Amino acid sequence: MDLIYAILSPKLMSQIFVGLSRTVILFIVASGLSLILGVLRIPNIWHGSLYMVGAFMMFTISGAFGGGSVGFWMALILAPLGVAFVSLIAERSFFQHLYEREHIMLLLLTFAFSLVFGDLVKMVWGMEYKSVPVPQIFQGSVHLFGGLPFPLYNVFLLAIGPIVAVALWLIVNKTKIGKISRAAAVDREMVGAVGINVSWVFAFVFIIGCLLAGLGGALVAPTVNVSLGMDQTLIMEAFLIVIIGGLGNIWGALLGALIFGLAQSLGILIWPQFGIVFPYAAVTIVLLLRPTGLLKSTW
Amino acid sequence: MKKVIYLFVFMVGFLGVSLFSSSSYGANTIKIGIVDTYSGPPATMSQDVLDGFKMVVNEINAKGGILGKKIEFVTRDEKFKPDVGLAMAKELVLKENVDILMGTISSSTALAVSDFARKEKIPFLVTNSRTEKITGEKGHRYVFGIAENTAMAGRAAAFALSKKPFMKYWIAGDDYEYGHSIAENVWNNLKALKPGVQLMEQTWWKVGESDFTPYITQIMSAKPDFLIAATGGATMVTFAKAAKATGLVARIPIYQHTVIDYGVLGPLGADGPEGVYGTAPYLFYYPETPANKAYVNEFRKTYGRYPQMFALFGYSAGRLIEKGFQKAGAVDKEKFINALEGLVIDSPVGKLQMRACDHQLQLPMMFGVVKKSPKFKDFLVASDIVMVPSKDYMPTCEEVLKTRKN
Amino acid sequence: MSKSTLGGKGRIVGGAVLILLFLFPLFLPRFYIYLVSIILLTGLLATSLNLPLGYGGIFQFHHAVFYGVGAYGAALMITKSGLSPWIGFVVGPLTAAFLSLIMGFICIRLSKLYFGMLQISLGSLVWIIVYRWYSFTGGDNGIHGIPVPDVISSQNSAYYFTLLVTLVSLWALHKIINSPFGSTLQGIRDNPVRSAMIGINVKLHQLVVLVIAGFFAGVAGSLFIVVDTAVFPDMLFWIFSLEVLIMCLLGGWFTFLGPMLGAAIIICMRTFVSGFTDYWTLPLGILMILVIFFLPNGILGYIEEKLHGTLVEQTVKE
């Protein structure tokens, strides 16, 4: 019994919880990336910029509605939609013409977009970091595990995570368009031959994926510095998660995000200075054992 | 074919314009090149330095300049990256032909640029980076430290902390030059004054870390008596927010150098970390001398806000340049350096001297605790302020010169 | 080693450029000498990337790791051991080649996108270790003030050294590409199945290419130390890898000198545009988009097409 208490010590438990709330953000962003990579075969580097734009929009919209709780909820809904809208325009104008090209071209195109947007964000929002206040109901912390406080907002994140996961699963597996997308991922010509407008299917998937990026950014905004450059580290981590999870696999993204988030917070417990190395090491180990990802990819 | 023509025209146009873009102001100005971080979290602080500097420059230029020449300055954004900062410094010196280099808030960049300044024999005024290595271990003839450095702050803080009852310490901070430097200085001095203190553990996170929760929960669960938080420009405010949100501030007493500066407490507003100890060389509301009040009023009139301590550094740099060239009698780099050594300038906090032996400006240091203010409703202030004059806490010339490997 | 694909006219242009390069220090202002040095070594880096990328058809997504490891290897060797810097300059590329061998060995069993992804992961692991190991690598600060041998420490001599090493390296790479090995490589790129069927050990060839590419990336890294006397962790950052990739794309990845041209364009843009405005990545992004849509074979590739009617090399198939 004592051993169990020792293992489930408050220290460990609170680190695990913190890791989990970080996992939620990583999962939401990575699932969008995985969707786009799995169905459209685009390694979407622009995803990081959309995450950043989501966070900045969160700042502006919540400010426009007075900055309080109303502002928060309005922004949480409108910011991802705004991001989705932007991605729709980009997809229809640029991306859809390149689906036949090699991966590298698509990768570099999304990279070009991320460069452009990096500066656009700077132009529109300026260079200083922005602060999004935590809404009233989520302020403060709840005391768990031997009295260690755990911010309420993180509890909120832990609740949102499964909701998004389930919603995504429903869309992909239970709706008609979701099923068509999965078919198109495997064989787009066949889907086209059956008379379905593949182009719009792809647009749909792209927008959903980007919306998720925006949602991730919007959710993370109250907990961090909303600043330029938040796109770069995140995109690397999101890519790694998608890779270890299996390209195009939503549950894989969840698994990958779990591994990544937990590895980091536990790593900090074990070796504070090198805590951040642990997730990267974990990714490497997974890939050495299962190079195509833990779960099945869509192609 | 047409598209290609457009493409070519675009590129050639760009390259052409760029190649001829170097500013060609003649020898009738004194040109200052400033490398600093103008994007991201440290930007407000760097901007403050620039504003304080500009106030002096405008005043000088209105009077006709120094030795009949106006002062002209150019800025470059290094984005808190040392490689970019170094490249910018090279551009400023080799292409823009500046007379003097100034900058930067990043201690890593400051050291890299200092190296370069020595090779190029150009004076480099370090306005807001504060690692002691600048005038200490890596000091040389061409570099001058204006901001208070970590050796100074460490001593002052250790002195105050040694009087408090805390025994078990934890150190956490940004994993770069400044973070390590301030932590080491505080700790070594504290240990010397109070040998019984114990260092439990150290936590270092990457510079610009945005998510402190996992680190903070780890520290809280270990229950130290006191936390020395070695945070720098990029993380000061975010860390303060996280510390408050997780309840760290309420549970464990913390010391952070510069936390009492308006630059940190201002943006935090009512969210400021009450009860945290801090040091800073300047507070706009203390002491309420006529000189300080006049300075603050002018600053507010020009920029619409209160000055942080960084504005004082920019201001001092401006005054040093003014008096330095005047004393030198010519726009000559070597004469300028000679003139700066031992130079005394007027400032809002009294007369300040640029110490000749190590090229460090001698600033006073304030030690205080963050509390709510009856006077200012929008932000917290330092209270129980103790002002320590520089001669009482600065390392002596001998101590500093001993660290240099010349 | 002139632009052989462009024929007689090309040789004259190439010769003129060479002479100019040697004469630069005589009349070019100091800043531009520094700039050309950087362009030369970055161009070498991009050319070394193009070996696996353009000629090999390998998805080398994180090439900058070898550049950074080469530079850090040299830097650490010079600063930590008491040995002569010349030894450091040799150790750098060897370290890079060695890392390339190990990483290549691990990644080579995968192909296409998976290869690239795994390389990104391994590369990121190396990056994060270098970045966080403050006591050994200087972490975020990097290492600066690296002592360089006196004979190459002045700006002009550093320039000539860089020029010389770059020219020799380019010559070596050119020789490799035009050798039977190089032809086999391109054959593998175009049709790996058929190549395997005629008895070529595809994986072995690819591994050798990776090691060579890693070696020359390390050479570029050592050159950076000669020019800048410093190393920084950003040299291994993934975003920099993407920039080098863009250089190849921009210049034309089916031409030998395309990457060099791409490097020159991007570095010039970055330096000069930052002089005006802080928004230099915007024009670069737009330029990239234009090139991707209209000039998929890069600028030099386009020029070649126009002069020859068709492109000398072929396109990569899925």
Side-chain angles (χ1 to χ4, degrees):
Chain A
M1 211 50 205
D2 277 351
L3 187 61
I4 297 188
Y5 274 132
I7 295 177
L8 295 180
S9 71
K11 220 158 108 153
L12 189 62
M13 290 309 291
S14 87
Q15 282 305 92
I16 291 180
F17 252 76
V18 167
L20 285 179
S21 45
R22 183 160 161 68
T23 296
V24 166
I25 303 283
L26 287 172
F27 162 65
I28 292 178
V29 176
S31 62
L33 188 63
S34 199
L35 206 57
I36 296 176
L37 190 56
V39 176
L40 292 109
R41 319 219 176 166
I42 300 178
N44 187 16
I45 299 188
W46 192 36
H47 217 71
S49 312
L50 293 170
Y51 164 80
M52 182 166 71
V53 171
F56 273 94
M57 279 197 182
M58 185 73 176
F59 165 77
T60 304
I61 300 177
S62 74
F65 281 95
S69 296
V70 173
F72 174 79
W73 294 109
M74 290 303 295
L76 193 59
I77 299 174
L78 291 177
L81 287 177
V83 169
F85 180 66
V86 169
S87 68
L88 172 65
I89 298 179
E91 199 271 343
R92 289 287 98 184
S93 325
F94 294 90
F95 290 92
Q96 72 162 335
H97 302 292
L98 287 186
Y99 288 145
E100 298 306 308
R101 303 277 284 272
E102 311 94 23
H103 288 142
I104 289 194
M105 286 302 193
L106 288 167
L107 178 98
L108 291 178
L109 183 67
T110 60
F111 182 53
F113 264 81
S114 76
L115 288 177
V116 170
F117 268 72
D119 268 356
L120 281 181
V121 169
K122 207 196 284 190
M123 284 182 197
V124 171
W125 277 282
M127 309 227 241
E128 300 129 23
Y129 63 93
K130 306 281 183 246
S131 205
V132 175
V134 176
Q136 197 66 22
I137 39 166
F138 293 136
Q139 279 179 15
S141 24
V142 64
H143 291 261
L144 311 162
F145 310 126
L148 282 178
F150 188 64
L152 268 178
Y153 190 77
N154 290 47
V155 177
F156 166 63
L157 288 179
L158 282 180
I160 287 272
I163 296 177
V164 170
V166 170
L168 201 56
W169 181 81
L170 285 174
I171 293 178
V172 170
N173 287 306
K174 295 294 176 196
T175 63
K176 188 161 152 208
I177 193 159
K179 295 186 194 176
I180 296 176
S181 314
R182 279 162 55 222
V186 179
D187 194 334
R188 55 184 91 173
E189 270 139 24
M190 200 55 178
V191 172
V194 180
I196 296 175
N197 187 339
V198 181
S199 176
W200 277 107
V201 172
F202 281 0
F204 172 76
V205 171
F206 190 73
I207 293 164
I208 294 284
C210 293
L211 184 140
L212 286 166
L215 180 63
L219 282 172
V220 90
T223 66
V224 296
N225 257 351
V226 175
S227 64
L228 304 165
M230 59 193 289
D231 52 344
Q232 296 197 339
T233 355
L234 185 93
I235 189 65
M236 178 155 49
E237 299 181 348
F239 255 103
L240 293 177
I241 289 172
V242 166
I243 297 170
I244 59 172
L247 304 177
N249 192 316
I250 308 286
W251 297 121
L254 182 59
L255 193 54
L258 268 170
I259 294 177
F260 206 90
L262 285 177
Q264 185 173 1
S265 49
L266 289 177
I268 290 171
L269 199 59
I270 301 174
W271 198 356
Q273 177 166 10
F274 276 97
I276 199 170
V277 176
F278 280 72
Y280 289 88
V283 166
T284 308
I285 294 173
V286 168
L287 284 180
L288 289 177
L289 299 174
R290 287 186 59 102
T292 50
L294 289 166
L295 301 181
K296 215 164 60 94
S297 65
T298 54
W299 48 285
Chain B
M1 189 59 200
K2 237 207 215 155
K3 320 165 190 162
V4 183
I5 295 184
Y6 284 144
L7 191 63
F8 263 120
V9 171
F10 174 82
M11 274 169 37
V12 170
F14 235 34
L15 290 177
V17 173
S18 335
L19 274 165
F20 291 109
S21 75
S22 69
S23 350
S24 43
Y25 292 84
N28 270 331
T29 58
I30 298 178
K31 210 164 172 193
I32 320 274
I34 309 180
V35 179
D36 216 331
T37 302
Y38 296 108
S39 48
T44 38
M45 306 173 183
S46 309
Q47 189 61 43
D48 211 51
V49 173
L50 191 60
D51 287 342
F53 180 63
K54 280 200 300 204
M55 236 168 74
V56 176
V57 168
N58 291 338
E59 183 199 306
I60 296 175
N61 283 346
K63 286 191 284 189
I66 313 174
L67 305 173
K69 296 182 205 253
K70 301 228 172 178
I71 300 185
E72 187 209 327
F73 63 88
V74 280
T75 61
R76 291 284 183 267
D77 181 8
E78 49 144 10
K79 308 184 187 348
F80 216 77
K81 286 174 187 255
D83 47 339
V84 178
L86 184 58
M88 300 277 163
K90 289 196 174 181
E91 193 227 327
L92 287 174
V93 174
L94 298 177
K95 180 160 168 276
E96 300 286 335
N97 294 314
V98 297
D99 297 300
I100 296 184
L101 272 176
M102 265 172 63
T104 157
I105 195 167
S106 159
S107 298
S108 317
T109 309
L111 286 176
V113 174
S114 170
D115 224 25
F116 172 67
R118 172 169 49 174
K119 271 203 287 218
E120 291 293 319
K121 298 197 165 36
I122 183 167
F124 176 37
L125 303 181
V126 182
T127 45
N128 42 353
S129 143
R130 44 182 52 76
T131 170
E132 43 149 0
K133 291 211 180 100
I134 291 176
T135 47
E137 189 186 316
K138 301 261 167 117
H140 53 83
R141 177 177 164 75
Y142 296 92
V143 71
F144 291 84
I146 294 181
E148 86 293 357
N149 66 38
T150 45
M152 294 157 64
R155 275 232 181 157
F159 190 68
L161 285 177
S162 64
K163 303 208 174 348
K164 310 242 178 239
F166 310 114
M167 293 303 287
K168 290 198 297 181
Y169 283 77
W170 192 290
I171 292 179
D174 296 355
D175 196 6
Y176 74 126
E177 177 56 48
Y178 170 73
H180 286 278
S181 186
I182 183 85
E184 264 167 38
N185 275 292
V186 174
W187 184 250
N188 292 338
N189 283 303
L190 180 61
K191 197 105 188 111
L193 290 171
K194 192 176 175 193
V197 295
Q198 222 192 334
L199 180 60
M200 287 176 76
E201 183 61 84
Q202 301 188 43
T203 304
W204 296 98
W205 48 70
K206 70 175 202 275
V207 177
E209 177 64 71
S210 47
D211 186 13
F212 292 103
T213 324
Y215 298 99
I216 293 180
T217 45
Q218 185 224 2
I219 297 172
M220 284 202 293
S221 56
K223 300 201 202 333
D225 289 339
F226 195 90
L227 172 66
I228 299 175
T231 48
T235 45
M236 284 300 297
V237 175
T238 340
F239 180 77
K241 271 172 55 165
K244 188 137 189 257
T246 53
L248 177 67
V249 173
R251 289 177 162 241
I252 301 180
I254 306 174
Y255 164 76
Q256 272 178 295
H257 181 48
T258 74
V259 76
I260 52 174
D261 175 40
Y262 174 67
V264 176
L265 295 178
L268 286 172
D271 259 346
E274 249 192 289
V276 171
Y277 300 96
T279 38
Y282 178 76
L283 298 167
F284 76 84
Y285 42 85
Y286 186 95
E288 292 199 316
T289 60
N292 199 7
K293 281 206 193 140
Y295 166 77
V296 174
N297 283 337
E298 200 196 326
F299 193 90
R300 264 194 106 187
K301 213 169 40 153
T302 322
Y303 301 109
R305 61 175 206 273
Y306 290 113
Q308 307 166 30
M309 65 186 188
F310 294 95
L312 178 66
F313 304 146
Y315 179 94
S316 304
R319 287 276 174 245
L320 284 168
I321 290 175
E322 181 190 19
K323 291 261 166 62
F325 277 120
Q326 271 170 359
K327 188 163 160 208
V331 183
D332 174 281
K333 300 187 176 80
E334 299 294 328
K335 292 203 178 126
F336 176 70
I337 291 175
N338 294 337
L340 278 188
E341 294 179 340
L343 190 62
V344 176
I345 54 171
D346 286 311
S347 84
V349 288
K351 291 205 182 295
L352 300 174
Q353 184 182 40
M354 172 62 74
R355 195 157 76 172
C357 68
D358 61 349
H359 292 188
Q360 178 67 44
L361 190 67
Q362 297 173 291
L363 293 162
M365 188 70 74
M366 327 272 183
F367 183 91
V369 175
V370 177
K371 283 231 170 37
K372 288 200 178 33
S373 158
K375 187 166 165 206
F376 299 106
K377 296 293 169 212
D378 297 328
F379 50 88
L380 304 178
V381 298
S383 71
D384 309 337
I385 301 175
V386 176
M387 179 163 161
V388 188
S390 57
K391 59 177 170 46
D392 285 347
Y393 74 90
M394 271 181 76
T396 63
C397 276
E398 285 159 3
E399 285 173 309
V400 174
L401 291 176
K402 229 184 354 177
T403 61
R404 293 196 191 173
K405 289 190 185 124
N406 293 4
Chain C
M1 52 132 287
S2 53
K3 304 175 192 179
S4 56
T5 47
L6 291 178
K9 242 193 283 191
R11 286 182 194 268
I12 300 178
V13 173
V17 169
L18 258 184
I19 295 178
L20 253 184
L21 282 175
F22 274 99
L23 293 181
F24 269 153
L26 297 179
F27 60 87
L28 220 52
R30 294 187 59 200
F31 181 67
Y32 294 98
I33 304 280
Y34 168 69
L35 200 62
V36 177
S37 312
I38 297 284
I39 291 177
L40 285 171
L41 67 93
T42 315
L44 175 61
L45 174 64
T47 310
S48 74
L49 168 61
N50 206 23
L51 192 64
L53 184 73
Y55 292 100
I58 300 173
F59 284 43
Q60 182 89 330
F61 282 166
H62 206 342
H63 195 60
V65 177
F66 307 114
Y67 172 65
V69 166
Y72 267 90
L76 289 169
M77 194 69 202
I78 298 175
T79 53
K80 303 270 178 185
S81 76
L83 303 171
S84 147
W86 295 107
I87 298 186
F89 292 142
V90 171
V91 167
L94 288 177
T95 319
F98 184 62
L99 181 69
S100 193
L101 179 64
I102 298 179
M103 277 177 66
F105 200 67
I106 299 173
C107 301
I108 203 73
R109 37 195 176 131
L110 305 175
S111 52
K112 300 284 170 213
L113 202 60
Y114 289 102
F115 174 88
M117 302 295 201
L118 185 56
Q119 193 181 65
I120 293 175
S121 326
L122 291 175
S124 304
L125 183 62
V126 175
W127 166 74
I128 196 95
I129 292 177
V130 169
Y131 183 52
R132 303 292 300 140
W133 200 350
Y134 187 80
S135 49
F136 185 54
T137 64
D140 203 30
N141 302 336
I143 306 174
H144 37 85
I146 302 174
V148 164
D150 283 335
V151 68
I152 50 172
S153 64
S154 84
Q155 191 177 41
N156 283 354
S157 49
Y159 170 74
Y160 280 119
F161 181 70
T162 306
L163 180 60
L164 230 57
V165 173
T166 305
L167 289 176
V168 170
S169 305
L170 287 178
W171 176 82
L173 283 167
H174 189 80
K175 271 264 173 287
I176 292 173
I177 290 172
N178 285 333
S179 71
F181 174 78
S183 310
T184 315
L185 186 68
Q186 292 171 71
I188 294 177
R189 174 194 69 196
D190 294 334
N191 203 330
V193 177
R194 188 171 285 183
S195 306
M197 280 211 256
I198 56 176
I200 294 175
N201 189 337
V202 170
K203 296 296 180 194
L204 185 63
H205 272 80
Q206 289 181 325
L207 194 57
V208 172
V209 166
L210 290 176
V211 173
I212 296 175
F215 178 78
F216 282 104
V219 171
S222 292
L223 286 177
F224 185 80
I225 294 181
V226 174
V227 176
D228 250 328
T229 67
V231 293
F232 302 102
D234 268 359
M235 291 167 86
L236 301 114
F237 198 43
W238 184 40
I239 301 286
F240 184 58
S241 277
L242 291 177
E243 275 184 40
V244 183
L245 217 57
I246 300 175
M247 292 175 193
C248 291
L249 170 74
L250 196 57
W253 53 19
F254 298 115
T255 65
F256 183 70
L257 287 171
M260 184 63 85
L261 178 64
I265 294 176
I266 289 188
I267 290 175
C268 285
M269 274 189 85
R270 176 166 50 204
T271 315
F272 295 115
V273 178
S274 326
F276 281 133
T277 155
D278 289 312
Y279 307 118
W280 81 275
T281 47
L282 183 69
L284 179 63
I286 296 180
L287 180 64
M288 270 186 72
I289 296 176
L290 290 173
V291 168
I292 289 175
F293 273 96
F294 301 132
L295 293 184
N297 287 321
I299 293 171
L300 210 57
Y302 180 78
I303 295 177
E304 268 195 21
E305 243 177 44
K306 280 293 154 195
L307 290 180
H308 282 257
T310 83
L311 197 54
V312 178
E313 326 284 353
Q314 288 181 316
T315 48
V316 174
K317 296 208 195 63
E318 268 272 65

